[in-house]
Amino acid sequence: MDITLIGAGNLATNLGKALLKAGHNIVQVYSRTEESAATLARILDAEPVNCISDVDDTASVYIIAVKDSALASLLPSLCMNRGDKIFLHTAGSMNINVFDGMARNYGVFYPMQTFSKEREVDFRVIPCFIEGSNDAVSSVAKELAHTVSDHVYDLSSDGRRVLHLAAVFASNFVNHCFSISSELLSGCGIPFDVMYPLIDEVVAKARLMRPVEAQTGPAVRYDVNVISRQAEMLSSEPLLRDIYEDMSRSIHEMSERQRKDAMQ
């Protein structure tokens, strides 16, 4: 397919490389920043543009991979007088109806993964979630997704909102906990890599059993002595202390629900 990428960030970079590898033609790369557009366009053998009015009509599919807040300002100009084109946004938390009144053929192509320009990912293992304004768009989006991923699913906007929220907990919040752990360790001159075996085992167990069943630690049994001492260690960081206490309470309550359900 002939594709124009709107955006040159982390997601656009990884998706663009995957699309090119799958044999698609990347016509143009748009970014507000000329340097960003040029950098990705060189990789994808595409034309860089940094003005939305310079996006041409050559492509049949326009994939919009920009931050959520930029969608509303970009779409009117991008979609204008392109009734025969297909527009797909890649945002996990944005409803498909963001295109209402601006495009006739539109949808969502959401690859659920954390992306960085510096680290290439294997797109074939990334689950991609598709939604279309009509059957024709859904078919094209699904066909496109299957060329880069082995895991393609239909999902409504409501379902995708839940999926994105779950991903925030499983990725962003977990990584923030890694950051907290790293800072605590650095204060004692301990390298964060001592945590790697622990992290690997936690992830391995999450693949084999329900995460709530794999939960261990003082919060499961709500060991007040340990929890109180550790909370006190965070007394100089009230926000971290609140996170620790709230997380401990949440772990205990979820574990108790799991225990009671297992007894029934």
Side-chain angles (χ1 to χ4, degrees):
M1 299 182 191
D2 291 326
I3 299 166
T4 285
L5 279 178
I6 306 299
N10 295 334
L11 193 161
T13 298
N14 281 271
L15 179 56
K17 290 178 179 179
L19 291 168
L20 184 67
K21 183 178 179 180
H24 300 287
N25 176 39
I26 311 302
V27 179
Q28 291 181 308
V29 173
Y30 163 82
S31 174
R32 289 183 304 171
T33 307
E34 184 177 358
E35 182 181 355
S36 297
T39 298
L40 182 54
R42 278 195 299 270
I43 295 171
L44 304 179
D45 193 24
E47 177 192 2
V49 293
N50 67 319
C51 182
I52 201 69
S53 61
D54 290 332
V55 174
D56 64 30
D57 294 335
T58 308
S60 56
V61 178
Y62 294 75
I63 298 179
I64 307 149
V66 298
K67 60 184 181 181
D68 294 1
S69 59
L71 271 174
S73 60
L74 278 175
L75 292 184
S77 298
L78 179 64
C79 298
M80 186 182 299
N81 300 323
R82 293 190 172 108
D84 59 330
K85 306 299 184 179
I86 291 176
F87 300 90
L88 304 172
H89 80 62
T90 58
S93 60
M94 294 295 289
N95 198 292
I96 191 175
N97 64 17
V98 70
F99 290 104
D100 282 357
M102 288 178 282
R104 185 165 66 237
N105 300 302
Y106 55 87
V108 181
F109 182 116
Y110 173 51
M112 192 189 68
Q113 182 55 282
T114 175
F115 295 102
S116 301
K117 291 182 181 179
E118 301 77 15
R119 177 175 167 80
E120 286 197 30
V121 296
D122 180 5
F123 231 93
R124 298 242 55 104
V125 304
I126 295 175
C128 293
F129 299 87
I130 302 303
E131 185 179 14
S133 59
N134 54 55
D135 290 343
V137 173
S138 294
S139 179
V140 170
K142 193 174 296 185
E143 178 186 350
L144 184 64
H146 275 297
T147 66
V148 297
S149 173
D150 294 329
H151 308 277
V152 179
Y153 308 91
D154 291 304
L155 190 66
S156 69
S157 290
D158 287 341
R160 196 174 62 258
R161 287 175 63 206
V162 174
L163 178 71
H164 188 259
L165 174 60
V168 167
F169 273 94
S171 174
N172 305 133
F173 286 2
V174 168
N175 191 69
H176 182 60
C177 287
F178 291 162
S179 298
I180 294 171
S181 173
S182 179
E183 288 194 354
L184 291 171
L185 291 171
S186 67
C188 294
I190 304 172
F192 182 66
D193 57 20
V194 301
M195 291 292 172
Y196 293 169
L198 176 63
I199 292 169
D200 290 344
E201 180 62 14
V202 168
V203 173
K205 288 200 296 185
R207 289 175 177 270
L208 295 175
M209 62 185 81
R210 294 174 60 212
V212 67
E213 296 170 348
Q215 189 72 59
T216 60
V220 172
R221 56 188 181 274
Y222 215 71
D223 188 328
V224 176
N225 291 329
V226 174
I227 292 172
S228 297
R229 286 198 301 270
Q230 292 188 336
E232 184 60 29
M233 292 171 66
L234 298 170
S235 58
S236 63
E237 298 280 356
L239 180 58
L240 291 188
R241 179 170 180 160
D242 288 345
I243 291 172
Y244 176 88
E245 292 178 336
D246 288 345
M247 188 78 78
S248 295
R249 187 162 51 251
S250 179
I251 289 171
H252 178 67
E253 290 177 0
M254 187 175 288
S255 297
E256 281 296 291
R257 289 199 302 271
Q258 158 66 17
R259 183 182 64 81
K260 292 176 180 176
D261 289 345
M263 293 175 59
Q264 292 179 353

